[in-house]
Amino acid sequence: MRPYVMALLKAGPNRSSDSTAAAELQRAHMANIDRLAEEGKLVLAGPFLDDGDLRGIYVFDVATVEEARELTATDPAIAAGSLVMELHPWYGSAGLMGLNDLHHRLQAAPVGE
């Protein structure tokens, strides 16, 4: 077990009704997620599949909520007000640290393996 910071992504006040702008913001949001994962700061991320105000989660491998807050500020969807973050210190499995490597191996494996 080890400490992390859990982020709950919630719908923000500036949800665009322009589908082109929303799609571009989503692409930038996903690029930021990929960057944070590659840097080893983000160990888990994903959306909720319903259409509620709670949109998804992040689990950060950082020492403080303030460090997580600084990382969330790099997200274009946060900067645009499309999403807002609620951050909490969280204690979870140390095994989460291996998820990004496992994800890449499984994603690269041919179907059926």
Side-chain angles (χ1 to χ4, degrees):
M1 300 294 282
R2 61 178 288 150
Y4 300 95
V5 174
M6 168 82 68
L8 301 173
L9 289 78
K10 297 180 177 183
N14 298 329
R15 309 287 290 177
S16 177
S17 59
D18 177 334
S19 62
T20 302
E24 181 55 36
L25 188 58
Q26 180 66 15
R27 279 190 290 279
H29 170 69
M30 294 304 295
N32 192 65
I33 288 172
D34 291 341
R35 179 186 61 80
L36 291 171
E38 289 297 320
E39 291 175 0
K41 298 293 186 182
L42 186 63
V43 297
L44 178 67
F48 290 105
L49 299 178
D50 56 11
D51 198 26
D53 285 339
L54 194 56
R55 306 304 298 155
I57 63 166
Y58 287 169
V59 176
F60 289 106
D61 179 29
V62 296
T64 66
V65 168
E66 186 52 43
E67 187 177 357
R69 192 176 324 284
E70 291 171 10
L71 293 173
T72 64
T74 69
D75 189 318
I78 297 294
S82 177
L83 294 173
V84 294
M85 293 278 186
E86 182 179 313
L87 301 167
H88 300 275
W90 183 68
Y91 198 63
S93 172
L96 288 179
M97 296 306 297
L99 280 181
N100 283 327
D101 288 336
L102 178 60
H103 169 79
H104 289 296
R105 285 197 315 268
L106 291 173
Q107 192 172 36
V111 174
E113 285 191 13

